[in-house]
Amino acid sequence: MKFGYFDDDRKEYVITTPRTPLPWINYLGSEAFFVLCSNTAGGYAFYRDARLRRITRYRYNNAPLDSDGFHIYIRDGDTVWNPGWQPTQTEPDSYRCRHGLGYTVIEGEKNGVLARQEMFVPRGDDCLLIRLTVRNGSGGEKRLSVFPYLEFCLWDAMDDASNFQRNWSIGEVEIDGSAIYHKTEYRERRDHYAVFWSDRTPEGFDTAREAFLGVYGSPARPEAVFGAGCTGSVAHGWQPVAAQQHELTLAPGGSESILFGLGYIENPREEKWAAPGVINKARAEAMMARYAVPGAFDAALERLKEDWAALLGTFRVSSGSEKLDRMVNIWNQYQCMVTFNMSRSASYFESGMGRGMGFRDSCQDLLGFVHMIPERARERILDIAATQFPDGSAYHQYQPLTKKGNLAVGSGFNDDPLWLIAGTDAYLRETGDWSILDESVPFDNDPLRADSLMEHLRRSFGFTRAHLGPHGLPLIGRADWNDCLNLNCFSEQPGESFQTTGPSEGPVAESVFIAGMFVKYGRVWAELCRRRGLAAEAEEALSAVEQVEAAVLDAGWDGAWFRRAFDAFGRVVGGKECDEGQIFIEPQGMCVMAGIGSRTGEAARALDSVRERLDTEYGIVLLTPAYTRYRPELGEISSYPPGYKENAGIFCHNNPWIVCAEASLGRGDRAFEVYRRTAPAWLEEISEIHRTEPYVYSQMIAGRDAPSFGEAKNSWLTGTAAWSFVSVSQAILGVQPCFDGLRIDPCVPAAVRSFRIRRRFRGALYLIEVENPDGVQHGVKELYLDGKALPSALIPVQEPGRTVRVRAVMG
Ligand code: BGC
């Protein structure tokens, strides 16, 4: 069942009922001011850090779900309604929500009144703009009262949700004309405030929640809206809010717009006050003035749309498949950009108060956005590298505001160091900017201990190499990519960390997955050495890689698939002798991507085993059979009920590894089949089962062992976005950025006869046409650059500014 439809021309998803299976959200903002906005105008705003600078309050795990946000009430006689249905849930006569790139428009209609609520964060400014347009489509005059309402958060979201003994006495506001200033803690150490304003003088306002809602009132039935109107309350302590009352009289056919804004302002310390106790409003007034100019709202929205079009224009496919085109050209890339902005901090599944930026997560996210914003990718790589320890290991997480490693989690996730090579490799291929390797980067954020990025990568490689276990495979430490495979932890007490309890970094437990990574990214490291004239080091690295490769084919091979690991007692994890967890997806994907067993047949055999054992109609599960009881020697993975998360859920992140692996063997039909199973556009039809947004990937879909098989969770912020984009753009469509140019090496279903791609690469534009006259799945037999035949599948780097035509003939 569908709850809306894609409007590809406008790059929007249009939701046609407010009763989506879960709130379906969008992200507004791409610089510093961010808003999460659901299809019923639920959500919240923050500045840079979702925990420390939360601007509006949001109650997770609330019932009814998603009832805090940016709501506007319309009172029309006896009827009170919201254009987005929530929070009154008055049934609208019609409803539509358009989630576009960086903006959301909600339209509702009730009793002949049409209300349109347009929302976005303009580029270059720290505010949310909301334009409400009401039109009287009825035959008679309409007298309407309009009430915008939002609830301020007292800045630190964690403290706001827990420290009531202090917080209920600190709230402060100022009211000035049509602006409500939230200035809690500004009197002491803060030099920032928030402002809510409208471009028209309201007939009333409230800033105390209990005045607007009532002490026992709720957003579904605010006393002010259902009763005598706003009271002019001035919040002291308790819960400061921004509510206004606007009276409109509309003749038949008449319409009126009101612009509302929610801004964030920082003042230099010495300019904090206009008078004792009165905040300096100059910057806020300037902000309001910018949007008071006629046409300013539309111009800013237009600019936003143009910016997104330019960003997404770096890679465009015309494949003849509507679903594929919309995933590649719009939604997958958009999600990669949101993941760049948010990492794993703020979604409807991540509270914004939890973990910082993940070392491995951020390195992998890079793979999906480096082509759009290479300069920001560069900066990100250097930030990540600065959290590496001198021995090559890394803090598992770091805080975006301070950019410092997170001590509470520490290090010891032994895949982390190698992801730095993966991210840097992607950057180098995209940009050819080798100067990044010479950048001086601190270790452990200590400027006194800095060395080149090249040296950081050397230590990444060296760390893995120096930490091999009894079978010659890399030691797993606290965990590898699979945070929940904790082979050295043995946690027995509720509440203990699965990763950091117990010995945690034992000398026996090994990871076949990290071995696959070492082979794949170790070869990259060797190539970097070679290109930097370090031939002997390159040779030496390759021989270390070969040794690990041999260990994988020996101890890591189970006969029909790659084993997952050896536990702290040297027992196989992910082998046929295991009663549960016999086969895992991760080593099959990573080892085959690394080329292990491609000549000798193990690679194909492993992928066949994936199809035979792990495939389901909704994607490939992470392992089978699911663990049915908790096993302290395996850790968190066995803590989940069967079918959820890492315990045999369909963990979408590693499905694209299988796509890439299948493509590396030239199996285009299968590669596409795996791609399609988890791609949101193909899941739109089963939204009642899938439940999360049909325009973005989710981290996990419940596996076949779960009662809710097919139900997704953790939408938006997942490494699935980046890897899916890599798998579809590079492995399937075959446009591969390389050190020396663009390689064209598609791997498609035999039925695909042609497609076109527009790719901007290092400043030149490549208009690529791929033909497949013989219906093959893989192989390019002819390649032409502006009509001239090329000797290999590589198009050399073109002069910036040039536009070239490329024709590839498969066969
Ligand atoms: C984490 C990743 C991890 C994955 C699998 C995600 O929640 O962000 O770092 O690789 O789970 O455990």
Side-chain angles (χ1 to χ4, degrees), residues 154-222:
L154 307 181
W155 305 117
D156 178 339
M158 187 75 114
D159 191 72
D160 179 77
S162 52
N163 191 6
F164 309 120
Q165 62 79 23
R166 168 178 161 82
N167 292 341
W168 287 351
S169 294
I170 63 173
E172 285 192 299
V173 296
E174 262 181 51
I175 298 111
D176 186 13
S178 63
I180 294 170
Y181 292 86
H182 176 228
K183 59 170 188 176
T184 299
E185 289 188 344
Y186 190 80
R187 60 165 58 244
E188 26 117 353
R189 292 154 300 173
R190 294 190 185 273
D191 11 11
H192 50 258
Y193 57 77
V195 55
F196 175 85
W197 81 90
S198 58
D199 69 350
R200 141 190 214 295
T201 308
E203 274 70 22
F205 68 86
D206 266 312
T207 65
R209 190 179 76 190
E210 62 179 64
F212 186 72
L213 298 185
V215 180
Y216 291 97
S218 81
R221 220 187 141 71

Coordinates of all heavy atoms in Angstrom, one line a residue, residues 154-222:
L154 N 15.5 24.2 26.7 CA 16.4 25.1 27.4 C 17.9 24.7 27.1 O 18.7 24.4 27.9 CB 16.2 24.9 28.9 CG 14.7 25.2 29.4 CD1 14.6 25.0 30.9 CD2 14.2 26.6 28.9
W155 N 18.1 24.6 25.8 CA 19.4 24.5 25.1 C 20.0 23.1 25.2 O 20.3 22.5 24.2 CB 20.4 25.6 25.7 CG 19.9 27.0 25.5 CD1 19.6 27.9 26.5 CD2 19.6 27.6 24.3 NE1 19.2 29.0 26.0 CE2 19.1 28.9 24.6 CE3 19.6 27.3 23.0 CZ2 18.7 29.9 23.7 CZ3 19.2 28.2 22.0 CH2 18.8 29.5 22.4
D156 N 20.4 22.6 26.4 CA 21.0 21.3 26.4 C 19.9 20.3 26.5 O 19.3 20.1 27.6 CB 22.0 21.2 27.7 CG 22.6 19.9 27.8 OD1 22.1 18.9 27.3 OD2 23.7 19.8 28.5
A157 N 19.7 19.5 25.5 CA 18.5 18.7 25.4 C 18.5 17.6 26.5 O 17.5 17.2 27.0 CB 18.5 18.0 24.0
M158 N 19.7 17.2 26.9 CA 19.8 16.1 27.9 C 19.4 16.7 29.3 O 18.5 16.1 30.0 CB 21.2 15.6 27.9 CG 21.4 14.4 28.8 SD 20.7 12.9 28.1 CE 22.2 12.0 27.8
D159 N 19.9 17.8 29.6 CA 19.6 18.5 30.8 C 18.2 19.0 30.8 O 17.5 18.8 31.9 CB 20.6 19.8 30.9 CG 20.6 20.4 32.2 OD1 21.1 19.8 33.2 OD2 20.0 21.5 32.4
D160 N 17.7 19.4 29.7 CA 16.3 19.9 29.6 C 15.3 18.8 29.9 O 14.3 19.0 30.5 CB 16.1 20.3 28.1 CG 14.7 20.8 27.9 OD1 14.4 21.9 28.3 OD2 13.9 20.0 27.3
A161 N 15.7 17.5 29.6 CA 14.8 16.4 29.8 C 15.0 15.8 31.2 O 14.3 14.8 31.5 CB 15.1 15.4 28.7
S162 N 15.9 16.3 32.0 CA 16.1 15.6 33.3 C 16.3 16.5 34.5 O 15.9 16.1 35.6 CB 17.4 14.7 33.1 OG 18.4 15.4 32.6
N163 N 16.8 17.7 34.3 CA 17.2 18.5 35.5 C 16.2 19.5 35.9 O 16.4 20.7 35.9 CB 18.6 19.2 35.2 CG 19.2 19.8 36.4 OD1 18.7 19.6 37.5 ND2 20.3 20.6 36.2
F164 N 15.0 19.0 36.2 CA 13.9 19.9 36.5 C 14.0 20.8 37.7 O 13.5 21.9 37.7 CB 12.6 19.1 36.6 CG 12.4 18.1 35.4 CD1 12.3 16.8 35.6 CD2 12.4 18.6 34.1 CE1 12.2 15.9 34.6 CE2 12.3 17.7 33.1 CZ 12.2 16.4 33.3
Q165 N 14.7 20.3 38.7 CA 14.8 21.1 39.9 C 15.5 22.4 39.6 O 15.2 23.4 40.3 CB 15.6 20.3 41.0 CG 17.1 19.9 40.7 CD 18.1 21.1 40.8 OE1 17.8 22.0 41.6 NE2 19.2 21.0 40.1
R166 N 16.3 22.5 38.6 CA 16.9 23.8 38.2 C 16.1 24.4 37.1 O 15.7 25.6 37.1 CB 18.3 23.5 37.7 CG 19.0 24.8 37.0 CD 20.4 24.5 36.6 NE 20.8 25.5 35.6 CZ 21.2 26.7 35.8 NH1 21.3 27.1 37.1 NH2 21.6 27.5 34.8
N167 N 15.8 23.6 36.1 CA 15.3 24.1 34.8 C 13.9 24.8 35.0 O 13.6 25.8 34.3 CB 15.2 23.1 33.8 CG 16.5 22.6 33.3 OD1 17.5 23.3 33.6 ND2 16.6 21.4 32.8
W168 N 13.1 24.4 35.9 CA 11.8 25.0 36.0 C 11.8 26.4 36.7 O 10.8 27.0 36.9 CB 10.8 24.0 36.7 CG 10.5 22.9 35.8 CD1 10.8 22.8 34.5 CD2 9.8 21.7 36.1 NE1 10.3 21.6 34.0 CE2 9.7 20.9 35.0 CE3 9.2 21.2 37.3 CZ2 9.1 19.6 34.9 CZ3 8.6 19.9 37.3 CH2 8.5 19.2 36.1
S169 N 13.1 26.8 37.0 CA 13.2 28.2 37.6 C 14.0 29.1 36.7 O 14.3 30.2 37.1 CB 13.8 28.1 39.0 OG 13.0 27.4 39.9
I170 N 14.5 28.6 35.6 CA 15.4 29.5 34.8 C 14.9 30.1 33.5 O 15.5 31.0 33.0 CB 16.7 28.7 34.5 CG1 16.4 27.6 33.6 CG2 17.4 28.3 35.7 CD1 17.7 26.9 33.0
G171 N 13.7 29.7 33.1 CA 13.2 30.1 31.8 C 13.0 31.6 31.7 O 12.4 32.2 32.7
E172 N 13.4 32.3 30.7 CA 13.2 33.7 30.5 C 12.9 34.1 29.1 O 13.5 33.5 28.2 CB 14.4 34.5 31.0 CG 14.6 34.6 32.5 CD 15.7 35.6 32.8 OE1 16.8 35.5 32.4 OE2 15.3 36.6 33.5
V173 N 12.0 35.0 28.9 CA 11.7 35.5 27.5 C 11.7 37.1 27.5 O 11.6 37.7 28.6 CB 10.4 35.0 27.0 CG1 10.4 33.5 26.9 CG2 9.2 35.5 27.9
E174 N 11.7 37.6 26.4 CA 11.4 39.1 26.2 C 10.4 39.1 25.0 O 10.6 38.4 24.0 CB 12.7 39.8 25.8 CG 13.3 40.5 27.0 CD 14.6 41.3 26.5 OE1 14.5 42.1 25.5 OE2 15.6 41.1 27.1
I175 N 9.5 40.1 25.1 CA 8.6 40.2 23.9 C 8.8 41.6 23.4 O 8.8 42.6 24.2 CB 7.1 40.0 24.4 CG1 7.0 38.6 24.9 CG2 6.1 40.2 23.3 CD1 6.8 38.5 26.4
D176 N 8.9 41.7 22.1 CA 9.1 43.0 21.5 C 8.3 43.1 20.2 O 8.7 42.5 19.2 CB 10.6 43.2 21.2 CG 10.8 44.7 20.7 OD1 9.9 45.5 20.8 OD2 12.0 44.9 20.2
G177 N 7.1 43.7 20.2 CA 6.3 43.7 19.0 C 5.9 42.4 18.6 O 5.3 41.6 19.4
S178 N 6.2 42.0 17.3 CA 5.8 40.7 16.8 C 6.9 39.6 17.1 O 6.8 38.6 16.5 CB 5.5 40.8 15.4 OG 6.6 41.1 14.6
A179 N 7.9 39.9 17.9 CA 8.9 38.9 18.2 C 8.9 38.5 19.6 O 8.7 39.3 20.5 CB 10.3 39.6 17.8
I180 N 9.2 37.2 19.8 CA 9.3 36.6 21.1 C 10.7 36.1 21.2 O 11.2 35.2 20.4 CB 8.3 35.4 21.3 CG1 6.9 36.0 21.3 CG2 8.6 34.6 22.6 CD1 5.8 34.9 21.2
Y181 N 11.4 36.5 22.2 CA 12.8 36.2 22.4 C 13.0 35.1 23.5 O 12.5 35.4 24.6 CB 13.7 37.4 22.7 CG 13.8 38.3 21.5 CD1 12.8 39.3 21.3 CD2 14.8 38.3 20.6 CE1 12.9 40.2 20.3 CE2 14.9 39.1 19.6 CZ 13.9 40.1 19.4 OH 14.0 41.0 18.3
H182 N 13.6 34.0 23.2 CA 13.9 33.1 24.2 C 15.3 33.3 24.7 O 16.3 33.0 24.0 CB 13.7 31.6 23.7 CG 14.1 30.6 24.7 ND1 14.9 29.5 24.5 CD2 13.8 30.5 26.0 CE1 15.1 28.9 25.6 NE2 14.4 29.4 26.6
K183 N 15.5 33.7 26.0 CA 16.8 34.2 26.4 C 17.2 33.4 27.7 O 17.9 34.0 28.5 CB 16.8 35.7 26.6 CG 15.8 36.2 27.6 CD 16.1 37.7 27.9 CE 15.2 38.2 29.1 NZ 15.5 39.5 29.5
T184 N 16.7 32.2 27.9 CA 17.1 31.5 29.1 C 18.6 31.3 29.2 O 19.3 31.0 28.2 CB 16.4 30.1 29.1 OG1 15.0 30.3 29.1 CG2 16.8 29.2 30.3
E185 N 19.2 31.6 30.3 CA 20.6 31.6 30.7 C 21.5 32.6 30.0 O 22.7 32.7 30.1 CB 21.2 30.2 30.4 CG 20.7 29.1 31.4 CD 21.4 27.8 31.3 OE1 22.1 27.5 30.2 OE2 21.3 27.0 32.2
Y186 N 20.8 33.5 29.2 CA 21.5 34.6 28.5 C 22.1 35.6 29.6 O 23.2 36.1 29.4 CB 20.6 35.3 27.6 CG 21.3 36.3 26.6 CD1 21.9 35.9 25.5 CD2 21.3 37.7 26.9 CE1 22.6 36.8 24.6 CE2 21.9 38.6 26.0 CZ 22.5 38.1 24.9 OH 23.1 39.0 24.0
R187 N 21.4 35.7 30.7 CA 21.8 36.6 31.8 C 23.2 36.1 32.3 O 23.9 36.9 32.9 CB 20.8 36.6 32.9 CG 20.6 35.2 33.5 CD 19.9 35.2 34.9 NE 18.6 35.8 34.9 CZ 18.3 36.9 35.6 NH1 19.3 37.5 36.3 NH2 17.1 37.4 35.6
E188 N 23.5 34.8 32.2 CA 24.8 34.4 32.8 C 25.8 34.0 31.7 O 26.3 34.9 31.0 CB 24.6 33.3 33.8 CG 23.3 32.4 33.6 CD 23.6 31.0 33.4 OE1 24.8 30.7 33.2 OE2 22.6 30.2 33.3
R189 N 26.0 32.8 31.3 CA 27.1 32.5 30.5 C 26.8 32.3 29.0 O 27.7 32.1 28.2 CB 27.8 31.2 31.0 CG 28.5 31.4 32.4 CD 28.6 30.1 33.1 NE 27.3 29.5 33.4 CZ 27.1 28.3 33.9 NH1 28.1 27.6 34.2 NH2 25.9 27.9 34.1
R190 N 25.6 32.3 28.7 CA 25.3 32.1 27.2 C 25.3 33.5 26.5 O 24.9 34.5 27.1 CB 23.9 31.5 27.0 CG 23.9 30.0 27.5 CD 22.6 29.3 27.1 NE 22.6 28.0 27.8 CZ 23.1 26.9 27.2 NH1 23.7 27.0 26.0 NH2 23.1 25.8 27.8
D191 N 25.8 33.5 25.3 CA 25.7 34.7 24.5 C 24.9 34.4 23.2 O 25.1 34.9 22.2 CB 27.1 35.3 24.2 CG 28.2 34.4 24.5 OD1 27.9 33.3 24.7 OD2 29.4 34.8 24.4
H192 N 23.9 33.5 23.4 CA 23.0 33.3 22.2 C 21.6 33.2 22.7 O 21.3 32.9 23.9 CB 23.4 32.0 21.6 CG 23.5 30.8 22.5 ND1 24.8 30.4 22.9 CD2 22.6 30.1 23.1 CE1 24.6 29.4 23.7 NE2 23.3 29.2 23.9
Y193 N 20.7 33.5 21.8 CA 19.2 33.4 22.1 C 18.5 33.0 20.9 O 19.1 32.9 19.8 CB 18.7 34.7 22.7 CG 18.9 35.9 21.8 CD1 18.0 36.1 20.7 CD2 19.8 36.9 22.1 CE1 18.2 37.2 19.8 CE2 20.0 38.0 21.2 CZ 19.2 38.2 20.1 OH 19.3 39.3 19.3
A194 N 17.2 32.6 21.0 CA 16.4 32.3 19.9 C 15.3 33.3 19.8 O 15.0 34.0 20.8 CB 15.8 30.9 20.1
V195 N 14.8 33.5 18.6 CA 13.7 34.4 18.4 C 12.7 33.8 17.5 O 13.0 33.2 16.5 CB 14.3 35.8 17.8 CG1 15.1 35.6 16.5 CG2 13.1 36.8 17.6
F196 N 11.4 34.0 17.9 CA 10.3 33.6 17.0 C 9.6 34.9 16.6 O 9.4 35.7 17.5 CB 9.4 32.7 17.8 CG 8.1 32.4 16.9 CD1 8.2 31.3 16.0 CD2 7.0 33.1 17.0 CE1 7.1 31.0 15.2 CE2 5.9 32.8 16.2 CZ 5.9 31.8 15.3
W197 N 9.3 35.0 15.3 CA 8.7 36.3 14.9 C 7.7 36.1 13.8 O 7.6 35.0 13.2 CB 9.8 37.3 14.5 CG 10.3 37.1 13.1 CD1 9.7 37.7 12.0 CD2 11.4 36.4 12.6 NE1 10.5 37.4 10.8 CE2 11.5 36.5 11.2 CE3 12.3 35.5 13.2 CZ2 12.5 35.9 10.4 CZ3 13.3 34.9 12.5 CH2 13.4 35.1 11.1
S198 N 6.8 37.1 13.6 CA 6.0 37.1 12.5 C 6.1 38.4 11.8 O 6.5 39.4 12.4 CB 4.5 36.8 12.9 OG 4.1 37.8 13.8
D199 N 5.7 38.5 10.5 CA 5.9 39.7 9.8 C 4.6 40.6 9.9 O 4.4 41.5 9.1 CB 6.2 39.4 8.3 CG 5.1 38.8 7.5 OD1 4.1 38.4 8.2 OD2 5.2 38.7 6.3
R200 N 3.8 40.3 10.9 CA 2.6 41.1 11.0 C 2.3 41.1 12.5 O 2.6 40.2 13.3 CB 1.5 40.4 10.2 CG 0.2 40.3 10.7 CD -0.6 39.3 9.8 NE -2.0 39.8 9.7 CZ -2.8 39.8 10.7 NH1 -2.4 39.4 11.9 NH2 -4.1 40.2 10.5
T201 N 1.8 42.2 13.0 CA 1.6 42.4 14.4 C 0.4 41.4 14.9 O -0.7 41.5 14.3 CB 1.2 43.8 14.8 OG1 2.2 44.7 14.2 CG2 1.2 44.1 16.3
P202 N 0.7 40.6 15.8 CA -0.3 39.6 16.3 C -1.3 40.3 17.2 O -1.0 41.3 17.8 CB 0.5 38.6 17.0 CG 1.7 39.3 17.5 CD 2.0 40.4 16.6
E203 N -2.5 39.8 17.2 CA -3.5 40.3 18.1 C -3.3 39.8 19.6 O -3.8 40.4 20.5 CB -4.9 39.9 17.7 CG -5.6 40.8 16.6 CD -4.9 40.8 15.3 OE1 -4.2 39.7 15.0 OE2 -5.0 41.8 14.5
G204 N -2.5 38.8 19.7 CA -2.2 38.3 21.0 C -1.0 37.4 21.0 O -0.5 37.0 20.0
F205 N -0.5 37.0 22.2 CA 0.6 36.1 22.3 C 0.6 35.4 23.6 O -0.1 35.8 24.6 CB 1.9 36.8 22.1 CG 2.3 37.8 23.2 CD1 2.9 37.3 24.4 CD2 1.9 39.1 23.2 CE1 3.2 38.1 25.4 CE2 2.2 40.0 24.3 CZ 2.8 39.5 25.4
D206 N 1.3 34.3 23.7 CA 1.6 33.6 25.0 C 3.0 33.1 24.9 O 3.5 32.7 23.9 CB 0.6 32.5 25.2 CG -0.6 32.8 26.0 OD1 -0.4 33.5 27.1 OD2 -1.7 32.5 25.6
T207 N 3.7 33.2 26.1 CA 5.0 32.6 26.1 C 5.2 31.6 27.3 O 6.2 31.1 27.5 CB 6.1 33.7 26.3 OG1 5.9 34.4 27.5 CG2 6.1 34.8 25.2
A208 N 4.1 31.5 28.1 CA 4.1 30.5 29.1 C 3.3 29.3 28.7 O 2.1 29.5 28.3 CB 3.6 31.0 30.4
R209 N 3.9 28.1 28.7 CA 3.1 26.9 28.2 C 1.8 26.7 28.9 O 0.8 26.5 28.3 CB 4.0 25.7 28.3 CG 3.4 24.5 27.5 CD 4.3 23.3 27.6 NE 4.2 22.6 28.9 CZ 5.0 21.7 29.3 NH1 6.0 21.2 28.6 NH2 4.8 21.1 30.5
E210 N 1.8 26.9 30.2 CA 0.6 26.6 30.9 C -0.5 27.6 30.7 O -1.7 27.3 30.8 CB 0.8 26.3 32.4 CG 1.4 27.5 33.2 CD 1.5 27.1 34.7 OE1 2.3 26.2 35.0 OE2 0.9 27.7 35.5
A211 N -0.1 28.8 30.2 CA -1.1 29.7 29.9 C -1.7 29.4 28.5 O -2.9 29.5 28.3 CB -0.5 31.1 29.8
F212 N -0.9 28.9 27.6 CA -1.4 28.6 26.3 C -2.2 27.3 26.2 O -3.3 27.1 25.7 CB -0.3 28.6 25.2 CG -0.7 28.4 23.8 CD1 -1.4 29.5 23.2 CD2 -0.5 27.2 23.1 CE1 -1.8 29.3 21.9 CE2 -1.0 27.1 21.8 CZ -1.6 28.1 21.2
L213 N -1.5 26.2 26.8 CA -2.1 24.9 26.8 C -3.1 24.7 27.9 O -4.0 23.9 27.8 CB -1.1 23.8 26.8 CG 0.0 23.7 25.7 CD1 0.9 22.5 25.9 CD2 -0.7 23.7 24.3
G214 N -2.8 25.3 29.0 CA -3.5 24.9 30.3 C -2.6 24.0 31.1 O -1.8 23.2 30.5
V215 N -2.7 24.1 32.4 CA -1.8 23.2 33.2 C -1.9 21.7 32.9 O -1.0 21.0 32.7 CB -2.1 23.4 34.7 CG1 -1.1 22.6 35.6 CG2 -1.9 24.9 35.1
Y216 N -3.2 21.3 32.7 CA -3.4 19.9 32.3 C -3.9 19.9 30.8 O -4.5 18.9 30.4 CB -4.4 19.3 33.2 CG -3.8 19.1 34.6 CD1 -4.0 20.0 35.6 CD2 -3.0 18.0 34.9 CE1 -3.4 19.8 36.9 CE2 -2.4 17.8 36.1 CZ -2.6 18.8 37.1 OH -2.0 18.6 38.3
G217 N -3.6 20.9 30.1 CA -3.9 20.9 28.7 C -2.9 20.1 27.8 O -1.9 19.7 28.4
S218 N -3.2 20.1 26.6 CA -2.2 19.4 25.7 C -2.2 20.1 24.4 O -3.1 20.8 24.0 CB -2.7 17.9 25.5 OG -3.7 17.8 24.5
P219 N -1.2 19.8 23.6 CA -1.1 20.4 22.3 C -2.3 20.1 21.4 O -2.7 20.8 20.5 CB 0.2 19.9 21.6 CG 1.0 19.5 22.8 CD 0.1 19.0 23.9
A220 N -3.0 19.0 21.7 CA -4.2 18.6 21.0 C -5.4 19.5 21.3 O -6.3 19.6 20.5 CB -4.5 17.1 21.3
R221 N -5.3 20.2 22.4 CA -6.5 21.0 22.8 C -6.0 22.2 23.7 O -6.3 22.3 24.9 CB -7.4 20.1 23.7 CG -8.9 20.4 23.4 CD -9.8 19.7 24.3 NE -10.9 20.6 24.6 CZ -11.9 20.9 23.7 NH1 -11.9 20.4 22.5 NH2 -12.8 21.8 24.0
P222 N -5.2 23.1 23.1 CA -4.8 24.2 23.8 C -5.9 25.1 24.4 O -6.8 25.4 23.6 CB -3.9 25.0 22.8 CG -3.7 24.1 21.7 CD -4.8 23.2 21.7

